[in-house]
Amino acid sequence: MPQTKKQEIVYTIMMVIVMVYAMVCYNISLDVGGMQNFVFLAAFSELPIMGVIAFLLDTFLVGPIAMRLATSWFTPSKDKKVFLIAAISCLSAWMMCPLMSFFATLLFKDSHNANFIAIWIQTTAMNYPMAFLWQLCAAGPLVRFLFGKGLAAMKKK
């Protein structure tokens, strides 16, 4: 886990890239009726826009709230680290999913009409299972592993 502000920024950028890329691939797949090879390249066009939004939301809103709530439930020095990590991951997915779905609906779906709220709710509902599973089972462990290896390599120097 990050210890300094610079590490926190690097960690957040890594997590944003892994989460946003996967969620964009997932949403494009939903829109076209299933996963196809072109989705992997098409997702790169939305990644810069959604990545910046996710970074800003996580840095200034969701991240601090998730950390505050998780540390009110678990004491980092007393409780097992895995409980704190799981709480932060769950809270982040729980808060980020509707926020990111809102921006995806606004920017990428034909929702500039009276059905905006309905489309946003549907998008959020479709994204929740993927966001939770991807965060808890893939993105979170992968980014923590890579971040830890990067820190260890920097400490050796």
Side-chain angles (χ1 to χ4, degrees):
M1 294 296 285
Q3 303 296 319
T4 67
K5 192 63 176 169
K6 183 179 178 182
Q7 290 175 1
E8 182 70 35
I9 291 169
V10 170
Y11 180 84
T12 301
I13 290 169
M14 291 171 68
M15 187 63 75
V16 161
I17 290 170
V18 173
M19 280 298 298
V20 170
Y21 180 74
M23 293 305 297
V24 169
C25 286
Y26 176 71
N27 277 282
I28 293 171
S29 296
L30 288 176
D31 287 344
V32 298
M35 185 58 95
Q36 298 176 35
N37 288 336
F38 85 92
V39 169
F40 298 108
L41 284 176
F44 285 113
S45 67
E46 291 181 27
L47 183 61
I49 298 162
M50 296 305 286
V52 169
I53 293 168
F55 179 82
L56 293 172
L57 286 171
D58 190 64
T59 301
F60 298 109
L61 181 67
V62 173
I65 293 171
M67 182 62 76
R68 194 173 327 115
L69 284 171
T71 55
S72 74
W73 298 339
F74 302 103
T75 307
S77 60
K78 292 182 182 178
D79 295 314
K80 290 186 179 184
K81 193 174 183 178
V82 68
F83 295 131
L84 183 63
I85 291 170
I88 293 169
S89 294
C90 287
L91 288 164
S92 293
W94 177 65
M95 289 184 275
M96 286 293 282
C97 186
L99 292 169
M100 292 301 293
S101 294
F102 174 85
F103 286 103
T105 301
L106 184 66
L107 297 172
F108 300 107
K109 296 190 180 258
D110 185 25
S111 61
H112 299 31
N113 57 45
N115 290 318
F116 179 84
I117 300 289
I119 295 169
W120 172 46
I121 291 170
Q122 179 182 4
T123 302
T124 301
M126 297 294 288
N127 284 335
Y128 257 125
M130 175 62 176
F132 269 107
L133 290 174
W134 185 250
Q135 171 60 31
L136 291 173
C137 300
L142 174 66
V143 170
R144 283 190 297 277
F145 173 78
L146 294 175
F147 184 78
K149 289 292 183 189
L151 280 182
M154 290 179 70
K155 287 181 182 178
K156 282 185 179 180
K157 288 183 181 182

